[in-house]
Amino acid sequence: MSLMDIHSSSPWGRALLCLVWALCGACDDKSTPQASLMYDINGPQGIVRVAGPWLVRVGVPEGIDPSVLSLGVQYSDVNEERPAELPSSGEESGAGELLTLPLLTTGRPDTLLVLIPAPELEVELNYALYRGEDRLSAIYSFRELPPRDHQSLEASPPQCEVYIESPDPKLPVTSALDQAPQSGIQLSFSARAFPVRDGALDISGGGSLMGVATFEWLEAGEQRSTSAGTIATISGGLARTAPFTTPLGEQKLLVTAYTVRWGRCESVNLYSSL
C-alpha cells in the first residue's frame, strides 16, 4: 500500500502521512521555519537580571558559511506584545527598525557567537536568526530587570578574570608597532580569560573557554567608553583583535570578556602612545 493510499484511507492515515512529510520537510509550517531544526539558538529569554550586552550562541550545521547568517534584533515597548514576525532588514515597524548583527566564528565550526547591544531605555528585545531576509529560527524575547539601577543589584562573585596578554601595557606604544597604513598607530591587542571556580582562579580551565571580548578606549580618568569598541572571539581562552587605532598620549583600554559558561569579567589597562 502506498503513502497516498494510506492518506486516502482514514484520518489516522492522513495524520501519519503529514508526520512523514514533516520529517522530510514537506509539512513545513511557515510560522516555525523548517530550517530552525538545523540551528540551535542559546541566548537570553524571559526576565534577565544582568545588564547588557548579552551573548548569544548559535549552533549551526556543518559547512555553513557564517557570512550569510545574521541575528536580527528589534527593540519594542515593554507594553507591546511580542511581534508575530520581525521586519526585514532596514524595514521599520511599529516596534522599530530591525538591527542586523553579524555572527562571529569561533574555534568550533559548529558554533557562532554574537553580542546583542544594550538599549538606552527600558524595552523588550526580540531576536531571531536570519539568512538574508529569511528567518531561520523562532523569535526569542527577553526584558532586562532592573533596567539601569545597577546599585540595587547584589554583588555576585566573579565568574572569570581577563588579562591583557599583548602588547605590554608597561611599555609605550610607538609607530614601530604600526600594523596598518592608516593615520595613527594601528595594532592588534590580545587578552586571555580564565574561569573562576569557588572563588579561585582556574588557570588550567582557560584553554577551553569560549566567548567574545570587547576592547574599548576610556576617557582619561573616567569610566566611560569613547569608542564603539572592537569585538573579538575568545577561542581556547584567548581573544585577539584585528588592528585598531590607539589614541595618542595616555589612555585606558577596557577589556570585557563575555564567556559562554563563566559569565562576564573586565579589566582596565593603562597605555601611552608616543
Side-chain angles (χ1 to χ4, degrees):
M1 181 180 291
S2 69
L3 284 177
M4 292 306 296
D5 293 333
I6 296 175
H7 176 276
S8 60
S9 62
S10 69
W12 291 106
R14 288 194 295 271
L16 176 60
L17 180 60
C18 190
L19 175 61
V20 173
W21 281 355
L23 294 176
C24 66
C27 288
D28 183 23
D29 179 358
K30 292 184 179 180
S31 65
T32 307
Q34 174 198 2
S36 65
L37 301 176
M38 302 170 58
Y39 297 90
D40 178 26
I41 314 298
N42 187 352
Q45 297 184 54
I47 299 299
V48 177
R49 299 187 181 277
V50 177
W54 299 275
L55 184 67
V56 177
R57 180 174 55 182
V58 181
V60 297
E62 184 178 357
I64 190 70
D65 180 3
S67 66
V68 305
L69 302 177
S70 64
L71 194 76
V73 181
Q74 188 179 55
Y75 306 117
S76 61
D77 188 276
V78 294
N79 297 316
E80 294 182 0
E81 293 184 4
R82 188 179 70 174
E85 183 60 83
L86 297 182
S88 300
S89 178
E91 176 186 349
E92 293 190 4
S93 68
E97 185 175 345
L98 184 72
L99 176 65
T100 302
L101 303 174
L103 299 175
L104 302 176
T105 58
T106 67
R108 292 181 48 168
D110 62 346
T111 303
L112 304 176
L113 298 172
V114 61
L115 270 186
I116 297 179
E120 296 180 359
L121 302 175
E122 181 182 3
V123 294
E124 183 173 273
L125 294 93
N126 309 290
Y127 63 97
L129 183 67
Y130 281 82
R131 180 191 287 123
E133 296 186 357
D134 297 329
R135 182 166 62 86
L136 301 180
S137 74
I139 300 174
Y140 300 92
S141 179
F142 70 98
R143 179 181 169 193
E144 176 193 351
L145 273 182
R148 287 287 170 253
D149 187 8
H150 304 306
Q151 299 300 321
S152 65
L153 293 175
E154 294 184 4
S156 59
Q159 300 296 309
C160 60
E161 290 189 22
V162 60
Y163 302 90
I164 275 287
E165 186 167 80
S166 69
D168 187 346
K170 298 185 294 295
L171 301 177
V173 175
T174 68
S175 57
L177 301 175
D178 197 1
Q179 298 177 3
Q182 293 88 347
S183 60
I185 301 174
Q186 286 82 35
L187 69 159
S188 62
F189 291 78
S190 63
R192 189 169 289 277
F194 300 95
V196 173
R197 298 186 178 95
D198 299 325
L201 185 66
D202 183 1
I203 300 296
S204 63
S208 60
L209 267 187
M210 178 186 294
V212 300
T214 57
F215 298 76
E216 301 174 276
W217 293 116
L218 301 178
E219 182 96 5
E222 296 183 18
Q223 292 297 307
R224 68 182 181 87
S225 177
T226 60
S227 68
T230 300
I231 189 170
T233 302
I234 298 175
S235 179
L238 179 66
R240 185 181 302 278
T241 73
F244 66 99
T245 302
T246 174
L248 293 177
E250 294 187 0
Q251 66 269 174
K252 295 179 179 180
L253 180 67
L254 172 65
V255 182
T256 307
Y258 304 84
T259 63
V260 170
R261 295 185 59 189
W262 306 106
R264 178 185 312 187
C265 51
E266 60 183 33
S267 173
V268 177
N269 304 271
L270 302 180
Y271 279 92
S272 62
S273 293
L274 302 180

